[in-house]
Amino acid sequence: MASPGDFEAEEVRLREAMVGLLAEGGLLDDVGWKRAAQTVPRHRFVPGFYLAADVPDPQGLTVWEPVTANRDRSRWLKAAYADVTLITQFDGEEPDWSDPVARHGGAPTSSSTLPSLVLRMWADADVQAGQKVLEIGTGTGYSTALACERLGSGGVASIEVDQHRLGKAADALYECGYTPTLALADGIHGYWPEAPFDRIVAACSFRAVPPALVAQTRPGGRILLTLGGWLYGYARVLLTVGDDETAEGPLLPGTVSFMPARTHAAPAFGNPAHWAAELPEAARTAKHSPARITDATETAFHLRFLVQCAVPGAQLTTLGKVVHLVDVTSGSAATLTPNNGVWVVREGGPVRLWERAEAVMDAYDAADRPGPDTFTLTIDADGQHLRHPQLPSLRLPEP
């Protein structure tokens, strides 16, 4: 039986190995963040989590296996110091980690984000000692602990919408000696009692930038968050706030996705077959395949976000070989069906969803498929607009 000393030695070895890999990837050039990653014990913030089994269940659903120290100490510790995201909650239901059970399918609603992304977010936001920082989405508290180690607890405020998650994170943080300001609050409203902030960093995605975050950031301060939506298109944006609650900044390169802020989550839309049954019989040949926004490529990832800006109320699902687009906000729908090597489109409702998507794809192609970092998001009295010198501007939905 392993002794406590053996466990501690293994934990230190695994943590150092993780830090070494992160440093090789260029994520720890800042000495302060490297020291934080070397110091914070991630395993203390993830007493239990789920890992996907190799084989789905008979219905094709992912089987999520619970992992704890009591069930398999070695597997638990190795996963805690792997550069992976660890799912800690599904469908807003807090597990009983003393007697956890496997889950079949479900929507993840809380996690410990992979350490490389956590550190990348703090670095991209240019968080420095002496600044006052708001973190949106405490989650397990690991990211919060890294910020406290780097900045000191007095410079860090973190808010979380889930009471159980916040309680668990608070216990872990305080047990490790970190005392940031913690509050149960919805990220779309920020946290006025501690404002203004020099930096705001969000570990969840928003359909548009919440105005409260701009109002709570000092002029010259920065906001780093992920824009998401109901098509599950994502883009990260780094905004610099102006003197009059305006803000502007570029999209950042790369492919990153975060769980949505719960108040910005997609609504249920029922049975897509019911929507399809109401569509007119008249069909046309699609100009673009839906694979252009669903393929597992960086180009498709970025294009999906741009299309989402044009049809912000749309959701996408596939039944058999038929791709369905449904917009519960306007009562519009479209189907795309493969037919002898082409796609056939049927559309109905006040918004021609795929026609709008195709217009974005046409403009994107004409501009030679520009990358995310060539786009700028502007926020002013006229709203939130995504701009590119060669493309029509795209308006984000009302926050």
Side-chain angles (χ1 to χ4, degrees):
M1 184 175 179
S3 68
D6 293 336
F7 172 81
E8 183 176 341
E10 179 67 0
E11 181 265 319
V12 171
R13 183 188 71 79
L14 290 170
R15 194 190 324 167
E16 286 295 331
M18 181 189 76
V19 170
L21 289 173
L22 296 177
E24 287 177 12
L27 293 165
L28 295 175
D29 294 339
D30 181 289
V31 175
W33 287 116
K34 183 174 184 179
R35 187 179 299 114
Q38 290 172 324
T39 303
V40 176
R42 191 187 188 203
H43 71 281
R44 298 279 293 274
F45 295 88
V46 285
F49 47 84
Y50 294 98
L51 294 178
D54 294 333
V55 180
D57 69 11
Q59 285 72 47
L61 298 174
T62 300
V63 178
W64 294 96
E65 299 173 341
V67 180
T68 66
N70 288 337
R71 293 170 70 95
D72 188 334
R73 194 171 195 175
S74 177
R75 187 187 187 195
W76 166 72
L77 192 61
K78 287 179 181 177
Y81 288 102
D83 189 29
V84 297
T85 293
L86 303 172
I87 306 299
T88 54
Q89 187 191 80
F90 285 90
D91 302 316
E93 300 172 2
E94 189 67 19
D96 177 6
W97 291 115
S98 66
D99 186 25
V101 297
R103 296 202 49 122
H104 292 245
T109 47
S110 191
S111 67
S112 177
T113 302
L114 66 162
S116 61
L117 178 53
V118 170
L119 289 159
R120 179 176 160 195
M121 294 284 283
W122 288 126
D124 284 346
D126 191 27
V127 173
Q128 301 289 337
Q131 293 176 341
K132 190 174 183 181
V133 174
L134 173 65
E135 176 189 43
I136 297 174
T138 312
T140 65
Y142 174 67
S143 175
T144 319
L146 289 171
C148 290
E149 187 66 40
R150 177 69 174 84
L151 306 175
S153 296
V156 180
S158 184
I159 60 175
E160 169 62 48
V161 74
D162 186 295
Q163 182 174 357
H164 294 291
R165 282 285 87 221
L166 184 67
K168 296 294 185 183
D171 289 343
L173 285 162
Y174 297 152
E175 287 170 4
C176 290
Y178 303 115
T179 57
T181 296
L182 299 175
L184 184 68
D186 190 327
I188 65 170
H189 302 299
Y191 197 60
W192 286 103
E194 293 289 313
F197 300 98
D198 298 293
R199 298 289 187 271
I200 295 180
V201 176
C204 59
S205 65
F206 297 95
R207 298 183 72 209
V209 180
L213 303 189
V214 178
Q216 291 174 30
T217 303
R218 299 181 194 277
R222 293 180 176 177
I223 302 170
L224 178 66
L225 54 72
T226 300
L227 296 169
W230 298 346
L231 278 184
Y232 298 102
Y234 298 95
R236 287 194 311 149
V237 63
L238 180 60
L239 295 165
T240 300
V241 174
D243 292 327
D244 48 1
E245 295 188 12
T246 61
E248 181 174 300
L251 300 189
L252 301 182
T255 56
V256 170
S257 62
F258 275 106
M259 298 172 193
R262 296 192 184 182
T263 45
H264 282 199
F269 56 80
N271 186 337
H274 296 166
W275 291 81
E278 298 299 318
L279 295 177
E281 290 298 323
R284 66 175 176 86
T285 300
K287 296 172 65 177
H288 298 278
S289 162
R292 292 207 58 189
I293 62 171
T294 59
D295 279 349
T297 65
E298 287 199 19
T299 299
F301 188 93
H302 173 48
L303 185 54
R304 189 182 185 106
F305 174 73
L306 299 180
V307 167
Q308 178 179 268
C309 292
V311 286
Q315 298 180 64
L316 183 150
T317 189
T318 301
L319 290 180
K321 295 182 179 180
V322 180
V323 176
H324 296 259
L325 285 168
V326 174
D327 182 349
V328 300
T329 65
S330 68
S332 304
T335 61
L336 292 102
T337 306
N339 183 21
N340 295 323
V342 299
W343 288 85
V344 175
V345 186
R346 295 166 58 216
E347 297 183 275
V351 179
R352 294 296 185 263
L353 298 175
W354 195 245
E355 186 176 309
R356 284 197 182 181
E358 289 177 326
V360 172
M361 296 182 205
D362 287 342
Y364 176 70
D365 291 343
D368 200 23
R369 304 186 179 187
D373 52 346
T374 63
F375 288 80
T376 299
L377 181 67
T378 62
I379 300 175
D380 54 29
D382 292 329
Q384 302 186 19
H385 293 87
L386 189 63
R387 303 186 189 278
H388 186 278
Q390 296 174 273
L391 294 169
S393 69
L394 292 166
R395 186 184 185 94
L396 270 59
E398 291 298 318

